[in-house]
Amino acid sequence: MKIQRYLALPALIALVVALAACGGSSSTAKLGASDVAVVGGAQITKQQFDDLMQSAQKNYQAQGRKFPKTGTAEYSSIKSQAVTLLVQQTERTQKAKSLGISVSDKQVSARLDQIKKQYFGGSEKNYQAQLKKQGLTDAQVREQIKQQLIDDAITNKVTTDVKVSDAEVHAYYKAHPQSYVQPPSREVRHILVKTKKLADQIEVQLKNGASFAALAKKYSQDPGSKANGGKLTVSKGQTVPEFDRAAFSLKTNEISKPVHSTYGWHVIQALSPIKPAKTTPESQVAASIKQQLLQQKKSAAMNAWVTKTEKEYCSGSKVSYQKGFTPSPDPCETLKTQTASTSTAG
């Protein structure tokens, strides 16, 4: 289980961990006995770590799973994730200040009000009940909302100049022609049964004038179409090969002989002529392509920013861990290995 970074909401949504504010503000913070790590000028306390692990344990309980025992590989993995998460969030909070980003209590309260309305019908009682169920406090939730708002603001700041041109959209459209081709299609109906004997009997009944819809409702094993008289729209190449060949070789209104596939035996009737393949015009998909490319560029920009931030903290020895709390893998060591590999490859 990965420890998640977002706000815990009702039970149907995965528990998301709440964090207490990082202590310490000195630019020369020292690693104390009650700390698990120091990041720049901030200490990450064992209490913060314990709160995070407790939230993870609550998540396991909500899923009906036993939390890993101390000393096991799975426990060590969760422990490493918790420490890494605390360090990364502390780094981002510090970098936000250098970017001129700040989040007020008023903004936090406004976002919390939105969450209460959306997930709890505006009921303070229901909200408090959910906090109790998940072992969270209002202060923890507010701190996590603050972190989310900081992360959002960082993303907006880092990606503010990211743009996608019409030329890039056109180039993408031309480079991915198959993504915008709608294959041939037609309306058919079928009855799926388990044995050829029954399929043969159904074929005879149909060719003698029996109601296709009635027989489909009575015999078909396809839950997706039986209630609709066996009707469905099929696109060429998107069903099992045996069904596909039969469906697109029949004349309109013709009933097939029993066709065997991995699902059983089909009796198929073509209800409409085959609609030829067609290509969706660029003008109809340009907006979605632009949004897709924009998201890709923003993700790339954020990944680059995160890597740059990690390098800054690692190379400057701004991160140190209490004995027994160094993550495995250590993000700084991983970064060094990746940098060395890139340099060698270059």
Side-chain angles (χ1 to χ4, degrees):
M1 182 207 78
K2 288 188 178 297
I3 295 177
Q4 301 183 28
R5 297 179 52 251
Y6 302 99
L7 178 66
L9 293 173
L12 61 126
I13 298 178
L15 171 72
V16 187
V17 182
L19 302 174
C22 295
S25 58
S26 170
S27 59
T28 57
K30 301 296 183 181
L31 189 63
S34 62
D35 301 328
V36 299
V38 167
V39 181
Q43 292 107 341
I44 297 174
T45 67
K46 287 182 179 177
Q47 184 60 57
Q48 291 172 249
F49 170 79
D50 289 341
D51 288 344
L52 195 51
M53 293 298 282
Q54 183 180 14
S55 292
Q57 190 169 3
K58 287 280 187 180
N59 192 18
Y60 266 75
Q61 291 173 355
Q63 296 175 21
R65 302 165 61 197
K66 288 185 178 180
F67 193 69
K69 292 182 179 180
T70 303
T72 63
E74 189 174 3
Y75 177 88
S76 296
S77 176
I78 295 172
K79 177 181 176 180
S80 290
Q81 291 176 47
V83 175
T84 298
L85 175 60
L86 288 165
V87 168
Q88 289 175 342
Q89 289 198 324
T90 305
E91 290 173 352
R92 292 189 182 194
T93 299
Q94 292 178 354
K95 289 298 291 182
K97 293 178 181 179
S98 67
L99 291 173
I101 293 170
S102 63
V103 173
S104 67
D105 291 342
K106 184 177 180 180
Q107 288 173 289
V108 172
S109 293
R111 177 64 64 87
L112 182 56
D113 286 343
Q114 291 176 357
I115 291 169
K116 288 178 181 179
K117 289 178 183 178
Q118 182 175 357
Y119 295 102
F120 304 101
S123 169
E124 182 66 23
K125 181 179 179 181
N126 291 343
Y127 166 67
Q128 292 295 336
Q130 188 64 30
L131 292 186
K132 184 177 180 180
K133 181 179 179 180
Q134 295 183 340
L136 301 172
T137 66
D138 182 69
Q140 287 176 314
V141 171
R142 286 176 180 275
E143 184 57 39
Q144 182 58 16
I145 290 174
K146 184 175 182 178
Q147 185 64 51
Q148 287 179 328
L149 292 174
I150 289 172
D151 286 350
D152 290 345
I154 290 174
T155 299
N156 290 336
K157 192 91 171 182
V158 171
T159 64
T160 187
D161 294 327
V162 174
K163 301 289 188 295
V164 174
S165 67
D166 291 342
E168 288 174 303
V169 171
H170 180 69
Y172 184 91
Y173 179 81
K174 287 296 185 181
H176 300 82
Q178 293 305 312
S179 298
Y180 306 104
V181 173
Q182 298 176 34
S185 64
R186 79 184 313 182
E187 300 291 326
V188 301
R189 56 185 176 183
H190 80 131
I191 298 171
L192 172 64
V193 294
K194 294 181 178 179
T195 67
K196 184 176 186 302
K197 182 178 179 180
L198 180 55
D200 286 334
Q201 294 173 359
I202 290 172
E203 179 199 359
V204 171
Q205 291 181 61
L206 290 172
K207 290 182 175 177
N208 286 332
S211 167
F212 202 110
L215 292 179
K217 186 174 182 180
K218 182 177 181 179
Y219 293 111
S220 186
Q221 300 295 306
D222 178 13
S225 67
K226 69 177 295 181
N228 194 34
K231 292 182 180 180
L232 68 160
T233 300
V234 292
S235 297
K236 193 169 182 61
Q238 296 182 4
T239 59
V240 289
E242 301 86 356
F243 189 101
D244 192 74
R245 284 194 295 270
F248 286 92
S249 63
L250 293 170
K251 296 178 181 178
T252 302
N253 295 322
E254 182 182 2
I255 296 172
S256 73
K257 292 184 176 299
V259 175
H260 186 243
S261 79
T262 54
Y263 294 101
W265 291 87
H266 309 259
V267 178
I268 308 167
Q269 182 180 27
L271 297 178
S272 72
I274 297 173
K275 293 182 180 179
K278 67 176 183 178
T279 300
T280 303
E282 182 178 342
S283 59
Q284 292 183 18
V285 294
S288 63
I289 293 175
K290 190 169 190 175
Q291 186 59 39
Q292 177 185 337
L293 295 179
L294 186 63
Q295 188 56 50
Q296 289 175 356
K297 280 191 168 186
K298 286 185 175 183
S299 294
M302 275 306 300
N303 288 338
W305 183 86
V306 168
T307 299
K308 181 180 178 182
T309 298
E310 289 179 346
K311 285 182 178 179
E312 177 185 329
Y313 276 84
C314 290
S315 62
S317 299
K318 295 180 180 180
V319 181
S320 56
Y321 300 97
Q322 189 70 262
K323 184 177 180 180
F325 285 91
T326 301
S328 179
D330 180 347
C332 286
E333 290 302 318
T334 300
L335 193 60
K336 288 179 184 177
T337 301
Q338 292 173 343
T339 301
S341 299
T342 302
S343 299
T344 302

